[in-house]
Amino acid sequence: MIILTKHPTTMILSQILLMASCSVLVDYSLSFQPTATIKRPSFSSGLSPLLHHGQVFLLYSSNSLSSSDIEIDHADAEWGDSEEATSSSSPSPPFPDIKTQLCITGVSPPRETPINEAVSRIANVSLEDANKLVDIGAVWARMDTLTEKDVLAQYENDDEELYADLPRGWGSGDYNEDEASDDVDLEEYIAKMESQRFRRILTPVLIQPGTDLRIYPNPRRFPACYDIDGKSLLYEDTTFLVVDKPPMLPTQPDASNYHENCPGCVQDILGPFQDIQGNTIRRPLICHRVDSTVGGCVVLSKDRNGQKVFQNLQRERKLKKLYLAVTTEPVPLGLHLHWMWSPQNMRGKAGGPPCQLVSHIPPESRRKARQFWTRCILEVVKCEPITVTATEDYDPGDKQHFQSTIRLVTGRKHQVRAQLSSLGCPIIQDTLYEPMSGITLGDLETDESVMEEAIARCRVPTKPIGLQAHAILFGGIKARARAPWWAQP
């Protein structure tokens, strides 16, 4: 059998089927990626020397600006092999409605320039607005054109990164303890920082001639930040903090907003905090991640050592996490073992489905399991009918709802959401996984179009979903979140 693939999702699904069975020949000769002509912002005539440097990119993002914020000339849009596409008797399935975020890149003038002046000229905004963009963390610069003084200006006296809230290595999903050592030669440290392509600029600095800048002129805002109050602090000691994160607040900084996230808002509203030595910390560090649409317990650390301790406990399976999930179908009790397609989560991978793909069928061999699959285990310990309170964002109607208590054995991206959806019990308001209800990778062998059409309907949630990180237990510390949004009086 030969599959002719034109859709990026089809390419991913065909690859999965090929790796799983090695019995299908995939022909990518007809694959294409749609593009559109984007109108660039109109700069003033005095900035004409910069026009050939300024570029506008559409960065695909899970939650970002609406399509109305981007001006696209559809009349001049080019859709690849248009003649072949229009002459086809069976049109391709619709592309997912991926939201976009506007990003402007440009080059600073050929002289040493204050960062706000460069941002003002490239983004065509006032100096006041440029200062606001720098302050919120919406400006990035290539490190290879910043001086050593500029690099060190971004750090505290102890050389702790101002915005590296995650343990080193989290970009690839791995945590390397050796890389986190504080015993690093200064020259090696500077060289390592300069090897990274872009770094966020958070303080007023002079930038060198020809510095590449990346600017987000419309930073994403997260009003849920200001839902944090004194009752949100569930636990505090000399090393750890446990907070009740409100839904719709990201755990880690967004590319366009450094401050409105869990550690930033906790510091601004509940801080300042002191570490074990009595020193005031700049802001807590993240120990683990929770989806932005999910509320509940988040563990923060006051220093790097706390992050290491938490990561070791997680690696040794000495963490206990309980989740509450609300569905409109009863979830089967017991232990559930499923498999996620792991190449989808590899660093640098893009263009695949936004949701996690799950299989209920064990891999054929250990080699395939290690290479292509990630084991996911959770236990549903209780499932009972409940009455859901109507809110501004959700109307339960006359549907029967069920609340499940889930013990998380492994911690994978979207694990609870993906596994419950594969069981035919999607979480309420989870528009990313509701279309995938009851669909697994095993359906590829019977009807590939079923999964492809379901993925095309997937949308990133814009409202809180019926999932809460309800409780966490580690190292003798126990914390439990307050009542979730669906149980509020």
Side-chain angles (χ1 to χ4, degrees):
M1 177 174 64
I2 298 178
I3 299 178
L4 301 180
T5 59
K6 292 187 178 183
H7 194 291
T9 300
T10 308
M11 295 170 62
I12 297 294
L13 299 182
S14 301
Q15 180 188 16
I16 295 172
L17 188 56
L18 178 63
M19 296 300 182
S21 62
C22 297
S23 61
V24 178
L25 176 63
V26 183
D27 182 4
Y28 297 108
S29 61
L30 298 181
S31 61
F32 66 89
Q33 179 70 33
T35 58
T37 302
I38 304 164
K39 289 184 177 179
R40 300 182 179 180
S42 57
F43 294 88
S44 62
S45 58
L47 303 179
S48 56
L50 295 177
L51 284 179
H52 71 284
H53 293 298
Q55 299 180 33
V56 178
F57 289 91
L58 291 178
L59 300 184
Y60 294 103
S61 170
S62 58
N63 287 304
S64 49
L65 306 177
S66 64
S67 57
S68 61
D69 295 321
I70 310 298
E71 187 175 7
I72 300 179
D73 188 353
H74 292 283
D76 296 332
E78 298 177 1
W79 299 100
D81 302 329
S82 57
E83 293 182 0
E84 182 176 342
T86 54
S87 62
S88 174
S89 57
S90 56
S92 301
F95 286 89
D97 183 18
I98 304 176
K99 294 185 178 180
T100 54
Q101 183 169 7
L102 181 64
C103 171
I104 298 175
T105 66
V107 180
S108 65
R111 58 179 173 81
E112 195 174 57
T113 309
I115 182 65
N116 60 343
E117 180 181 335
V119 171
S120 174
R121 299 185 65 179
I122 294 173
N124 196 24
V125 298
S126 66
L127 286 175
E128 182 181 359
D129 289 340
N131 289 331
K132 293 179 180 179
L133 292 176
V134 173
D135 182 66
I136 202 172
V139 178
W140 298 68
R142 285 186 65 94
M143 296 301 289
D144 53 3
T145 53
L146 292 181
T147 65
E148 178 179 314
K149 180 180 178 181
D150 294 330
V151 176
L152 293 180
Q154 304 297 317
Y155 298 86
E156 280 284 277
N157 294 330
D158 58 358
D159 292 340
E160 182 172 321
E161 286 126 283
L162 188 63
Y163 38 83
D165 297 318
L166 299 178
R168 295 179 178 90
W170 268 31
S172 58
D174 299 318
Y175 178 70
N176 190 333
E177 185 174 348
D178 295 335
E179 291 183 0
S181 174
D182 293 329
D183 242 354
V184 180
D185 181 76
L186 179 61
E187 293 183 1
E188 293 180 1
Y189 181 76
I190 296 297
K192 180 180 179 181
M193 292 299 99
E194 290 182 342
S195 67
Q196 301 187 19
R197 298 192 61 182
F198 282 88
R199 298 288 284 180
R200 197 192 303 261
I201 302 298
L202 292 169
T203 57
V205 294
L206 290 174
I207 56 175
Q208 300 304 304
T211 299
D212 292 332
L213 296 177
R214 177 184 296 165
I215 305 165
Y216 295 85
N218 298 289
R220 294 174 58 195
R221 305 306 301 268
F222 301 95
C225 172
Y226 308 101
D227 292 337
I228 291 179
D229 54 28
K231 295 181 180 179
S232 300
L233 185 60
L234 305 175
Y235 176 85
E236 180 184 4
D237 61 20
T238 56
T239 302
F240 292 106
L241 301 166
V242 183
V243 297
D244 187 358
K245 182 185 82 71
M248 306 312 297
L249 179 67
T251 308
Q252 61 195 86
D254 181 76
S256 64
N257 188 336
Y258 173 66
H259 298 286
E260 291 178 340
N261 51 73
C262 189
C265 298
V266 167
Q267 175 66 29
D268 293 341
I269 298 174
L270 304 179
F273 300 99
Q274 286 74 40
D275 60 17
I276 193 171
Q277 297 176 346
N279 301 320
T280 300
I281 64 174
R282 178 175 290 274
R283 74 190 232 170
L285 308 175
I286 301 171
C287 291
H288 65 116
R289 289 175 282 201
V290 174
D291 294 343
S292 62
T293 56
V294 178
C297 296
V298 174
V299 180
L300 305 174
S301 173
K302 296 181 179 180
D303 54 36
R304 290 286 182 190
N305 182 65
Q307 281 186 321
K308 294 179 185 179
V309 170
F310 190 90
Q311 294 301 310
N312 289 335
L313 291 173
Q314 186 162 344
R315 188 180 299 110
E316 296 168 3
R317 301 288 175 86
K318 293 182 179 179
L319 297 180
K320 296 186 184 300
K321 298 180 182 179
L322 283 181
Y323 279 75
L324 295 181
V326 175
T327 61
T328 55
E329 298 290 338
V331 183
L333 299 179
L335 204 65
H336 297 278
L337 169 60
H338 299 148
W339 301 85
M340 279 186 182
W341 179 246
S342 56
Q344 183 182 346
N345 294 322
M346 293 176 61
R347 187 177 185 180
K349 296 292 182 182
C355 55
Q356 299 297 307
L357 304 179
V358 176
S359 174
H360 291 185
I361 304 173
E364 296 178 357
S365 65
R366 290 186 178 181
R367 181 186 64 82
K368 285 188 176 182
R370 289 193 300 267
Q371 189 174 2
F372 302 117
W373 301 97
T374 301
R375 186 177 61 172
C376 303
I377 306 175
L378 59 78
E379 182 181 10
V380 181
V381 298
K382 183 191 295 185
C383 182
E384 55 187 1
I386 63 167
T387 300
V388 174
T389 304
T391 66
E392 182 180 349
D393 293 327
Y394 183 70
D395 180 11
D398 56 357
K399 294 181 180 179
Q400 177 63 64
H401 291 71
F402 299 86
Q403 179 174 281
S404 300
T405 302
I406 298 171
R407 182 177 69 89
L408 201 59
V409 180
T410 58
R412 315 298 185 194
K413 180 180 178 180
H414 296 180
Q415 179 182 335
V416 177
R417 300 163 63 183
Q419 286 193 262
L420 263 58
S421 177
S422 72
L423 293 170
C425 309
I427 295 170
I428 60 172
Q429 296 216 122
D430 192 355
T431 53
L432 185 61
Y433 285 94
E434 283 176 343
M436 301 291 293
S437 177
I439 299 177
T440 69
L441 286 173
D443 296 309
L444 284 176
E445 299 181 1
T446 55
D447 189 355
E448 181 180 328
S449 62
V450 172
M451 176 171 288
E452 191 171 322
E453 292 172 0
I455 291 175
R457 297 195 305 273
C458 293
R459 299 292 184 272
V460 175
T462 57
K463 299 178 182 179
I465 66 173
L467 183 63
Q468 184 196 50
H470 186 61
I472 188 167
L473 174 64
F474 65 99
I477 299 172
K478 181 187 297 185
R480 184 173 65 179
R482 295 169 292 180
W485 63 263
W486 61 84
Q488 296 286 348

